[in-house]
């Protein structure tokens, strides 16, 4: 396998912004949150993404403000480092190397030059025990510093960041785990432990879930799995401790947070309601309901003017003083699964997939922002365990984006499966989709595939189902889509076999339907069965037509780990290879295809896909990669494994014999992903160590601007970009180093330009971008006539250079300032 270093796998948005508690800056202008391997900075007023802080090489697990500098933040990561940032300019100030994976971070104004982190105990690679340690940050001029001075504070703590909290301005620290609360006093260097009795088996109900300490008084608030909140007092002596109980939540309390002055306590849980408890009057509470999803974190700005809540649907809600929702930062919704696959909206070029329950989300790949949600089910979602509700399982767009087809299912216990097929028409006035037709029970069993015809002459939808049939749905009146309605035009089948998948050719002239182990090819114009295609044993799992110059090929995968390619001109099998392909995806703008393979097991051999016809050519080609052997059999020029090409292996085991060829048995380890053309055995790109588990959802997204890469190995990225989602719902893509450098440079330029305040003084002093452009034009074209903007004046100079205590009155300066803005009559208009 040949890997190319120029192409790299990067995260292109879609990260979890609700993974850790967000941070609001002192001036309440910005919000910072962990997002994958970076820290995102958002504006609290406009909801817009400002920039990100990139530098960590693993998951960011915590972000806190630097208590000694309000323009800096600390971030910790599983890469074993703590980094200090200037978040306004996006500058990495210093990196402290801890050497252990860090799960959370805490700071206190009383402990200057020290951060508290949670790291594994003993053998950190396999240990499930964690400890809270104090890291003394060394003072050094180097940008990277090793922080080896670690002091253990608490042992056997929870890695969850909400399980530890500082109290009374840093005099003590409280930690919860299971049924125990531990409080450590820094002056006494002594800790006290308090235990609760298990309310049910294994202590499920009474278990601690979160903790928050009062900033001024000796009071600790703890949340529990039974929905109760306990306020602990007198905990500086183990015998006479007391606690009072507050109860409103019917589910577990996910998070607690005191306001900066300690006058109120905020709590949140699965009810999607922010509960506002009055500290001095514990029986009084206020509510902010209908926040959309379960609350996972609560944060408050240092001045107490803004609250923010993180939610389970990857959303952050910014709230003004617990009264009004002022902004919503919505990331890629991470639901229970993606049943609709990944789809690209032809109009907005947005990524479309399952969002909130019963919804489709339209997500901008370029802006890393959700555009809007489309309610498909149009029923109120009830958050109750064991309740069967409709879920969107299929979605498809037509070629122009005028129509959207969706399938929703609900299976009740002991009842038949309920299926609805809905057709949505795009409305230009509302810039969204409007329901046009609803088909109740379109099939008698689950729908397995759904595709629109790409032909511009007709608007047709094909669905396949486990009821042994596939159906063609036709728009009755295509001339006026507003008055048109959909109806079933054809019902097809093949020997009572169950169809599992279907695919249209690029021009819509052919339809391929896989009936278990048989591939059938139909003509949508006459619905005539044209031919059936043979293939090795195994049920057909996926079908995909070639594009452009490779349109004569049809590719398919089977459950017997076979990737097959048929030639439609000869109606015969062109080539096949033993390969466990979990996903096959075609680029609509080129001949390229991507095959994602399941990575299981290991091997000492590497598999290479190569091209060539003569032995000498192949031998020279292999030698350029340092290969040891070429498998050659008499009577056949090559062994047709792996896409009709030679199987070439590099043996890392010493057991081999050059005279007799291969001595040991070979079990090739295939790359998890490779990109190829059906007509050429040589792959364009291959990559191993892609991610853990199978990649089940991927899509080629067209680019706004075509790249101009001339290298053959990167040309497959010129027109489209390949995106895929991992099991952890991370959105990844492939990119070149040149493209990443260009994006980084543009983001830095935008960051600098947008961070400068545009004021009247700024404009008058000639620092605006427009004036710079005009100066450049004056150098290139000195004869150009334009009106000169007023430059600096006496009023401006006095305001900027004169001490404030000796300045004249404001009314005098105001008059001078206004006169400096006026243009004299003698000047050219």
């Amino acid at each position: 396998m040949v890997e190319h270093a120029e192409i790299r796998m990067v995260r292109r948005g879609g990260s979890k912004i609700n993974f850790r508690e967000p941070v609001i800056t002192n001036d309440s202008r910005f919000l910072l949150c962990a997002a994958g391997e970076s820290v995102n900075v958002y504006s609290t007023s406009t909801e817009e993404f400002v920039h990100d802080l990139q530098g960590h090489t693993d998951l960011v697990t915590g972000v806190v403000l630097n208590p000694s500098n309000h323009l800096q933040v600390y971030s910790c990561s599983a890469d074993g480092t703590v980094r200090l940032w200037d978040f306004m300019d996006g500058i990495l100030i210093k990196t402290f190397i801890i050497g252990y994976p860090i799960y959370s971070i805490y700071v206190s104004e009383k402990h200057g030059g020290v951060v508290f982190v949670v790291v594994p105990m003993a053998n950190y690679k396999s240990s499930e025990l964690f400890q809270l340690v104090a890291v003394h940050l060394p003072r050094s001029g180097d940008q990277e510093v090793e922080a080896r001075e670690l002091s253990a504070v608490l042992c056997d703590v929870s890695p969850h960041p909400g399980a530890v909290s500082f109290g009374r301005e840093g005099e003590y620290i409280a930690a919860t785990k299971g049924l125990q609360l531990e409080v450590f006093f820094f002056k006494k260097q002594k800790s006290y432990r308090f235990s609760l009795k298990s309310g049910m088996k294994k202590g499920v109900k009474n278990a601690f879930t979160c903790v928050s300490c009062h900033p001024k008084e000796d009071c600790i608030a703890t949340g529990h799995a039974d929905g109760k909140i306990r306020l602990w007092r007198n905990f500086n002596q183990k015998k006479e401790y007391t606690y009072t109980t507050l109860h409103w939540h019917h589910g577990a309390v996910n998070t607690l947070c005191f306001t900066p002055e300690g006058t109120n306590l905020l709590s949140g849980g699965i009810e999607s309601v922010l509960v506002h408890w009055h500290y001095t009057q514990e029986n009084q509470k206020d509510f902010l309901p209908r926040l959309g999803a379960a609350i996972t974190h609560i944060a408050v700005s240092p001045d107490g003017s803004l609250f923010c809540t993180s939610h389970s649907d990857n959303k952050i809600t910014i709230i003004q003083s617990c009264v009004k929702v002022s902004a919503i930062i919505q990331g890629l919704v991470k639901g229970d699964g993606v049943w609709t696959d990944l789809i690209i909206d032809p109009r907005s070029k947005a990524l479309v997939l399952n969002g909130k329950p019963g919804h489709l989300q339209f997500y901008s790949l370029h802006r890393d922002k959700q555009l809007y949600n489309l309610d498909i089910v149009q029923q109120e979602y009830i958050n109750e365990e064991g309740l069967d509700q409709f879920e969107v399982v299929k979605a498809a767009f037509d070629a122009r984006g005028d129509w959207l087809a969706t399938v929703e299912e609900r299976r009740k216990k002991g009842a038949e499966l309920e299926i609805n097929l809905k057709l949505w028409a795009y409305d230009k006035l509302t810039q969204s989709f409007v329901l046009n037709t609803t088909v109740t029970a379109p099939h008698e069993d689950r729908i397995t595939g759904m595709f629109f015809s790409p032909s511009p002459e007709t608007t047709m939808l094909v669905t396949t189902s486990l009821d042994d049939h596939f159906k063609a749905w036709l728009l009755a009146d295509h001339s006026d889509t507003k008055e048109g309605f959909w109806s079933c035009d054809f019902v097809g089948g093949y020997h009572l076999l169950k169809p599992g998948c279907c695919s249209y050719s690029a021009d819509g002239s052919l339809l391929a339907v896989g009936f278990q182990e048989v591939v059938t090819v139909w003509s949508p114009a006459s619905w005539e069965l044209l031919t059936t295609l043979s293939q090795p044993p195994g049920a057909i799992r996926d079908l995909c037509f070639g594009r452009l110059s490779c349109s004569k090929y049809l590719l398919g995968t089977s459950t017997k780990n076979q990737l097959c390619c048929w030639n439609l001109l000869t109606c015969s099998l062109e080539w096949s290879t033993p390969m466990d392909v979990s996903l096959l995806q075609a680029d609509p703008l080129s001949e390229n295809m991507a095959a994602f393979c399941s990575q299981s097991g290991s091997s000492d051999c590497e598999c290479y896909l190569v091209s060539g016809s003569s032995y000498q050519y192949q031998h020279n080609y292999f030698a350029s990669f340092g290969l040891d052997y070429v498998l050659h059999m008499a009577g056949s020029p090559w062994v047709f494994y792996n896409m009709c090409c030679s199987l070439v292996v590099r043996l890392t085991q010493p057991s081999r014999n050059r005279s007799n060829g291969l001595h040991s048995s070979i079990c090739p380890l295939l790359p998890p992903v490779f990109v190829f053309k059906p007509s050429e055995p040589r792959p364009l790109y291959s990559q191993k160590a892609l991610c853990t588990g199978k990649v089940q959802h991927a899509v080629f997204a067209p680019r706004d601007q075509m790249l101009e890469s001339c290298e053959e190995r990167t040309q497959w990225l010129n027109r489209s970009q390949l995106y895929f989602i991992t099991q952890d719902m991370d959105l990844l893509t492939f990119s070149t180093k040149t493209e990443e450098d260009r994006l980084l440079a543009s983001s830095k330029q935008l960051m600098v330009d947008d961070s400068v305040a545009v004021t009247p003084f700024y404009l008058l002093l000639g620092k605006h971008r427009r004036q710079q452009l005009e100066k450049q034009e004056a150098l290139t074209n000195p004869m150009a006539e334009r009106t000169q903007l007023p430059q600096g004046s006496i009023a401006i100079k006095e305001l900027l250079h004169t001490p404030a205590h000796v300045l004249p009155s404001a009314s005098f300066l105001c008059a001078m300032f206004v006169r400096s803005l006026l243009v004299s009559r003698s000047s050219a208009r």
Side-chain angles (χ1 to χ4, degrees), residues 339-546:
W339 299 283
T340 61
D341 291 332
L342 304 184
I343 319 165
I344 298 295
D345 179 14
R347 286 182 176 269
S348 62
K349 302 299 185 292
L351 180 69
V352 181
L353 67 160
N354 290 100
K356 297 190 298 183
H359 290 69
L360 287 179
Q361 60 174 322
F362 288 69
Y363 189 82
S364 173
L365 292 169
H366 304 289
R367 299 174 58 193
D368 190 18
K369 182 179 180 181
Q370 187 186 92
L371 300 180
Y372 64 94
N373 267 306
L374 182 62
D375 189 359
I376 302 298
V377 174
Q378 297 183 339
Q379 292 183 2
E380 187 69 26
Y381 180 78
I382 302 175
N383 195 345
E384 184 176 340
E385 187 177 357
L387 184 63
D388 298 314
Q389 302 181 76
F390 276 105
E391 287 288 350
V392 184
V393 295
K394 296 289 180 184
F397 289 95
D398 72 333
R400 295 179 299 271
D402 296 332
W403 291 95
L404 167 66
T406 60
V407 176
E408 55 193 51
E409 293 181 357
R410 179 174 67 178
R411 184 185 292 276
K412 296 182 179 179
K413 296 180 180 179
E416 295 182 355
L417 177 68
E418 296 182 50
I419 306 176
N420 291 327
L421 171 65
K422 292 182 178 179
L423 284 307
W424 306 75
Y426 183 78
D427 188 0
K428 294 183 179 180
L429 294 177
T430 61
Q431 296 290 301
S432 183
F433 288 89
V434 180
L435 183 61
N436 177 274
T437 303
T438 301
V439 182
T440 305
H443 287 273
E444 297 179 0
D445 207 338
R446 177 169 281 113
I447 294 177
T448 57
M450 181 171 63
F451 282 94
F452 273 98
S453 171
S455 174
E457 300 176 356
T458 180
T459 305
M460 182 184 296
L461 176 71
V462 171
T463 57
T464 60
S465 172
L466 296 178
D467 62 359
D468 305 339
H469 296 96
F470 73 91
K471 293 184 178 182
W473 307 87
L474 193 65
L475 182 62
D477 186 8
H478 183 59
S479 60
D480 188 358
T481 56
K482 292 185 179 180
E483 300 297 331
F485 60 92
W486 291 78
S487 61
C488 183
D489 182 64
F490 177 76
V491 179
Y494 186 81
H495 295 284
L496 299 179
L497 297 178
K498 299 182 182 298
C501 56
C502 65
S503 178
Y504 266 105
S505 61
D507 59 356
S509 61
L510 296 177
L511 173 68
V513 183
F515 287 91
Q516 294 181 359
E517 297 185 356
V518 181
V519 178
T520 61
V521 181
W522 303 74
S523 172
S526 60
W527 290 118
E528 176 186 0
L529 177 59
L530 300 178
T531 185
T532 58
L533 302 175
S534 61
Q535 53 99 27
I540 297 297
R541 187 161 52 188
D542 200 1
L543 287 172
C544 193
F545 276 91

Side-chain angles (χ1 to χ4, degrees), residues 68-79:
S68 59
N69 191 329
H70 67 278
L71 297 178
Q72 298 176 355
V73 294
Y74 289 107
S75 66
C76 66
S77 169
D79 62 7

Side-chain angles (χ1 to χ4, degrees), residues 633-749:
M633 294 182 64
S636 175
W638 302 106
V639 178
F640 285 89
Y641 293 164
N642 300 329
M643 297 172 55
C644 192
C645 58
S646 304
L647 177 64
V648 185
V649 294
R650 177 197 294 125
L651 289 181
T652 56
Q653 297 177 352
S655 57
R656 56 193 182 187
N657 189 330
R658 292 186 181 274
S659 60
N660 297 328
L662 300 179
H663 179 72
S664 59
S665 60
I666 299 171
C667 298
L669 177 63
L670 300 177
V673 64
F674 63 89
V675 180
F676 65 97
K677 294 181 181 180
S679 60
E680 298 180 12
R682 179 176 57 89
L684 303 172
Y685 175 77
S686 56
Q687 170 74 43
K688 61 181 180 179
L690 190 65
C691 61
T692 57
K694 294 183 180 180
V695 176
Q696 297 179 342
H697 307 287
V699 67
F700 277 97
R703 292 183 179 273
D704 289 340
Q705 294 181 353
M706 181 178 172
L707 297 183
E708 298 180 356
S709 176
C710 299
E711 297 186 13
E712 183 182 5
R713 51 195 171 191
T714 58
Q715 283 183 355
W716 67 276
L717 288 171
N718 283 356
R719 295 180 178 272
S720 303
Q721 202 163 0
L722 180 60
Y723 291 87
F724 63 96
I725 280 187
T726 65
Q727 291 182 341
D728 297 329
M729 292 292 289
D730 289 327
L731 186 63
L732 306 180
T733 186
F734 296 97
S735 180
T736 61
K737 184 179 185 300
T738 305
E739 183 184 6
E740 290 302 305
D741 293 341
R742 179 176 56 83
L743 290 175
L744 183 61
S746 62
S747 65
K748 285 185 177 180
Q749 183 67 31

Side-chain angles (χ1 to χ4, degrees), residues 52 123 261 283 291-292 297 303 305 330 339 360 408 424 428 445 506 535 577 606 632 683 697 740 750 757 769-770 815:
D52 56 357
N123 184 9
E261 296 299 325
N283 294 327
L291 293 179
H297 303 286
D303 59 1
S305 62
Q330 178 67 70
W339 299 283
L360 287 179
E408 55 193 51
W424 306 75
K428 294 183 179 180
D445 207 338
Q535 53 99 27
T577 175
E606 293 184 4
H632 183 274
H697 307 287
E740 290 302 305
L750 289 174
R769 187 189 310 168
R770 186 178 301 172

Side-chain angles (χ1 to χ4, degrees), residues 203-269:
V204 175
K205 289 297 182 180
N206 274 345
F208 290 93
T209 57
C210 54
V211 63
S212 180
C213 298
H214 196 282
K216 306 293 184 181
E217 301 180 6
D218 289 337
C219 177
I220 300 175
T222 58
H224 299 266
D226 58 358
K228 295 180 181 178
I229 300 173
R230 290 180 169 87
L231 299 179
W232 301 74
R233 295 179 175 89
N234 298 328
F235 44 80
N236 55 353
Q237 45 186 345
K238 191 172 182 180
K239 295 183 179 180
E240 300 181 5
Y241 74 92
T242 60
Y243 65 79
T244 58
T245 303
L246 309 176
H247 196 187
W248 179 87
H249 298 275
H250 70 82
V253 181
N254 292 336
T255 178
L256 289 171
C257 182
F258 276 100
T259 55
E261 296 299 325
T263 56
N264 298 287
L265 174 66
L266 308 176
S267 65

